[in-house]
């Protein structure tokens, strides 16, 4: 037998050392009759997650993928050739088809043993906790500081899905999911309707994440970082009450521009003298006339470019002693742009925007599948590709250069032999990644 996905054995190595797909499977309650089950919950979850990692976002793809014995190996199937299936028509296909996987997505929250077809129930709260736990499990010791990056993005819809609304900024019918990252590691992916403010629900999400982090690391310093869409008094006040710092972008207005007047003149003069883009930073205490409950530290960037003035502002709870104005803006706040690349990586490479079912709950599950697939690929990059030429490769690049390797599969009584294409250009990196993963002990 032949497979084109032999490089996915690296993902199997990552799973054996992190257990993240198995932990994800434990977030589901299975009410099916055990005597009639051919595909265990863990196998169904693994098949869906690995399929996304390998570039197959559509459930219809699994009617062919179910025949691939290597995918059966990844899912932990005992009968990888599918020769022991109960029905004759299923023999030769070890994996589940699209209809079985679709039932997994469409099971309602209140399903139980009495349900007729859909009996595998997702525990949404458990999945949310898992994403944070995966980050904590990846840390060898308590970090001194954790930066939570928040952002919202558009997820276009093309039908009459539940919760669809037209968003004026994105000029499309879409969802407005909220993402929270710690570095490159995802800790929250919340699907939301788009008829809301970008910051809606952020206090609740941040509160549960901070609580979970502090249960393990009570002394860790936590900083929130986000653009002006999250600069809301409710979120800032919560941070100030909970000993959490923040750095948020602040939208421009006439009062803020006046505060920056002298600095902008100075920047303009320096630009005319040097012909180079010039920045001058100032800081001051500021309070809005109605929406803020107190005065806060604001840093203004007076920048003059060839095209003219480019003022920017951020508001922060950090004092001058903790971080001076230029460093705070240029080195700390601007670093949040890297999070946007991670969101694009998940949406474009791992199909986080494949939310085409009719219901919010099932679309949230699809977002979770994509999120766990991202966590798996990120762990491969962080653990397996460390020190290689692909240490900073995106998921789509890793898939093409490392996972898509042709191989011959031979099944004997005791072993499964996988003979990979020796001429594959990623062979050296694959070997390095394999050795790196072998050095990492398994969970527990």
């Amino acid at each position: 037998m032949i497979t084109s996905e032999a490089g996915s054995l690296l993902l199997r190595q990552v799973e054996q050392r992190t257990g993240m797909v198995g932990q994800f499977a434990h977030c589901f309650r299975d009410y099916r009759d055990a005597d009639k089950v051919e595909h265990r919950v863990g196998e169904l979850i693994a098949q869906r997650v690995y399929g996304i990692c390998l570039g197959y976002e559509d459930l219809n793809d699994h009617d062919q993928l179910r025949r691939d014995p290597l995918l059966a190996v990844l899912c932990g199937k005992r009968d990888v050739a599918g020769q022991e299936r109960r029905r004759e028509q299923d023999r030769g296909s070890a994996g589940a088809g699209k209809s079985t996987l679709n039932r997994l997505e469409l099971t309602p929250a209140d399903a139980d043993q009495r349900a007729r077809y859909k009996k595998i129930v997702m525990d949404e709260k458990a999945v949310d906790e898992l994403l944070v736990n995966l980050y904590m499990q990846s840390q060898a010791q308590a970090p001194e500081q954790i930066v939570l990056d928040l952002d919202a993005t558009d997820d276009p819809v093309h039908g009459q899905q539940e919760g669809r609304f037209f968003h004026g900024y994105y000029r499309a019918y879409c969802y407005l999911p909220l993402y929270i990252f710690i570095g490159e590691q995802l800790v929250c992916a919340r699907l939301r309707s788009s008829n809301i403010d970008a910051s809606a629900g952020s206090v609740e999400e941040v509160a549960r994440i901070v609580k979970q982090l502090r249960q393990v690391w009570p002394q860790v310093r936590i900083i929130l970082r986000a653009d002006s869409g999250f600069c809301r008094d409710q979120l800032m006040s919560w941070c100030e009450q909970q000993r959490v710092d923040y750095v948020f972008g602040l939208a421009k207005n006439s009062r803020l521009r006046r505060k920056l007047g002298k600095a902008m003149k100075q920047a303009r003069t320096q630009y005319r003298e040097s012909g180079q883009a010039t920045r001058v930073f100032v800081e001051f205490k500021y309070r809005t006339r109605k929406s803020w409950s107190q005065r806060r530290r604001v840093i203004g960037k007076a920048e003059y470019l060839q095209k003219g003035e480019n003022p920017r502002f951020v508001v922060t709870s950090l004092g001058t002693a903790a971080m001076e104005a230029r460093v705070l803006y240029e080195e700390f706040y601007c670093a949040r742009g890297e999070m946007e690349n991670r969101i694009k990586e998940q949406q474009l490479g791992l199909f986080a925007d494949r939310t085409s079912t009719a219901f919010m709950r099932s679309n949230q599950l699809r977002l979770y599948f994509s999120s766990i697939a991202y966590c798996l690929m990120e762990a491969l990059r962080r653990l397996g590709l460390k020190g290689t030429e692909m240490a900073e490769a995106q998921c789509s690049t890793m898939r093409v250069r490392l996972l898509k390797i042709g191989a011959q599969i031979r099944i004997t009584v005791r072993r499964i032999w996988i003979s990979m294409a020796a001429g594959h250009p990623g062979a050296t990196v694959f070997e390095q990644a394999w050795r790196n993963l072998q050095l990492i002990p398994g969970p527990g």
Side-chain angles (χ1 to χ4, degrees):
M1 290 175 283
I2 301 295
T3 182
S4 61
E5 325 290 350
S8 58
L9 290 172
L10 288 175
L11 296 178
R12 182 170 179 262
Q13 290 291 309
V14 173
E15 168 61 15
Q16 288 178 345
R17 279 144 184 81
T18 64
M20 60 178 63
V21 178
Q23 293 180 69
F24 183 43
H26 283 114
C27 298
F28 293 76
R29 298 189 301 274
D30 188 358
Y31 293 111
R32 296 176 298 171
D33 187 344
D35 295 334
K36 299 179 181 179
V37 170
E38 283 194 284
H39 306 291
R40 295 172 297 173
V41 173
E43 296 167 352
L44 294 172
I45 299 298
Q47 183 176 334
R48 191 75 170 92
V49 171
Y50 287 122
I52 292 172
C53 290
L54 294 169
Y56 303 107
E57 78 276 22
D58 201 319
L59 289 178
N60 292 331
D61 297 330
H62 287 269
D63 272 1
Q64 293 298 322
L65 287 174
R66 64 193 298 217
R67 302 177 183 275
D68 191 331
L70 187 60
L71 186 60
V73 171
L74 297 180
C75 297
K77 289 282 189 180
R78 184 181 59 83
D79 174 26
V80 298
Q83 297 302 317
E84 300 176 10
R85 298 293 302 275
R86 294 174 182 173
R87 299 192 305 173
E88 179 68 29
Q89 65 193 63
D90 291 329
R91 288 173 189 164
S93 301
K98 65 178 185 294
S99 299
T100 302
L101 294 171
N102 185 244
R103 292 193 196 103
L104 176 67
E105 292 187 355
L106 297 180
T107 303
D110 57 354
D112 55 22
Q113 296 93 334
R114 294 169 293 180
R116 185 169 184 180
Y117 295 116
K118 304 176 181 68
K119 299 183 179 183
I120 303 175
V121 182
M122 170 187 65
D123 185 344
E124 193 167 319
K125 181 180 177 181
V127 182
D128 292 336
E129 292 177 353
L130 172 63
L131 291 174
V132 182
N133 283 333
L134 292 178
Y135 166 75
M136 292 191 289
Q137 292 167 13
S138 71
Q139 303 301 302
Q141 58 187 14
E144 294 183 4
Q145 176 177 290
I146 293 175
V147 179
L148 296 176
D149 283 311
L150 292 77
D151 204 358
T153 189
D154 64 315
D155 176 1
V157 298
H158 306 284
Q160 299 297 323
Q161 287 98 320
E162 178 185 13
R164 74 189 285 272
F165 288 93
F166 185 84
H167 196 285
Y169 177 81
Y170 294 111
R171 299 177 180 273
Y173 285 93
C174 62
Y175 292 130
L176 193 69
L178 171 66
Y179 285 93
I180 303 178
F181 283 80
I182 301 176
E184 294 188 357
Q185 293 178 256
L186 178 65
V187 294
C188 177
R190 175 70 62 228
L191 193 66
R192 307 175 301 174
S193 297
S194 61
N195 62 333
I196 57 173
D197 182 72
S199 67
S202 58
V203 172
E204 292 77 11
E205 300 295 345
V206 170
R208 77 170 170 80
I209 292 172
V210 169
K211 180 180 179 181
Q212 198 170 343
L213 291 171
R214 283 181 170 167
Q215 285 176 343
V216 178
W217 302 316
Q219 302 303 320
V220 67
R221 183 183 189 183
I222 299 175
I223 305 176
L224 302 192
R225 183 168 59 186
D227 63 19
S228 60
F230 292 84
C231 183
R232 303 292 183 265
D233 188 69
Q234 181 186 14
L235 183 55
M236 291 187 288
S237 296
W238 180 90
C239 290
E240 290 155 354
Q241 294 165 7
Q242 300 297 323
R243 298 181 296 108
V244 174
D245 288 308
Y246 58 83
V247 179
F248 295 145
L250 179 59
K252 294 173 285 189
N253 60 42
S254 57
R255 288 178 62 204
L256 289 170
R257 282 179 173 273
R258 285 196 297 271
K259 292 275 190 179
L260 213 57
K262 292 182 180 180
M264 189 62 75
K265 289 180 181 178
Q266 181 183 349
R268 185 187 307 118
T269 301
Q270 293 177 4
Y271 173 80
R272 289 172 178 172
E273 291 175 352
S274 66
Q276 303 294 322
T278 304
R279 288 178 174 181
V280 177
F281 289 89
V282 297
E283 63 175 85
F284 49 87
K285 292 292 183 178
Y286 176 79
R287 179 180 179 178
T288 60
R289 290 195 172 115
K290 295 182 180 179
S291 58
W292 286 11
S293 57
Q294 64 181 27
R295 299 171 73 229
R296 297 180 169 102
R297 182 192 179 199
V298 170
I299 293 168
K301 180 194 72 170
E303 183 175 42
Y304 204 88
L305 309 171
Q306 183 178 5
K307 64 180 182 180
E309 297 180 356
N310 182 38
R312 291 289 187 273
F313 302 90
V314 296
V315 58
T316 181
S317 62
L318 296 170
T320 306
M323 208 175 294
E324 63 95 10
R326 182 180 292 272
V327 172
L328 187 144
Y329 185 89
E330 292 184 340
E331 298 182 16
F332 187 81
Y333 176 72
C334 289
R336 62 165 296 278
E338 186 60 26
M339 177 213 184
E340 297 178 1
N341 292 330
R342 304 286 74 79
I343 294 176
K344 292 176 183 177
E345 189 174 16
Q346 190 178 351
Q347 286 196 315
L348 300 179
L350 296 169
F351 321 111
D353 57 357
R354 184 73 171 190
T355 48
S356 54
T357 76
F359 308 106
M360 284 285 287
R361 178 178 172 82
S362 49
N363 283 326
Q364 175 68 70
L365 177 55
R366 288 193 171 189
L367 181 55
Y368 283 145
F369 279 133
S370 172
S371 299
I372 297 299
Y374 171 83
C375 291
L376 195 64
M377 295 288 276
E378 187 278 331
L380 172 59
R381 178 169 56 205
R382 172 169 42 86
L383 301 174
L385 298 178
K386 182 179 181 180
T388 73
E389 63 187 60
M390 293 182 63
E392 297 182 359
Q394 293 195 358
C395 292
S396 55
T397 303
M398 289 190 287
R399 176 188 299 140
V400 171
R401 293 190 57 187
L402 280 184
L403 305 186
K404 296 292 184 179
I405 301 177
Q408 181 189 63
I409 300 177
R410 291 180 294 117
I411 302 173
T412 65
V413 176
R414 294 183 177 87
R415 289 183 175 86
I416 299 171
W417 299 88
I418 301 174
S419 304
M420 295 188 186
H424 192 276
T428 301
V429 177
F430 182 95
E431 184 179 357
Q432 291 175 314
W434 186 273
R435 286 200 302 264
N436 289 342
L437 292 169
Q438 290 294 312
L439 296 175
I440 301 172

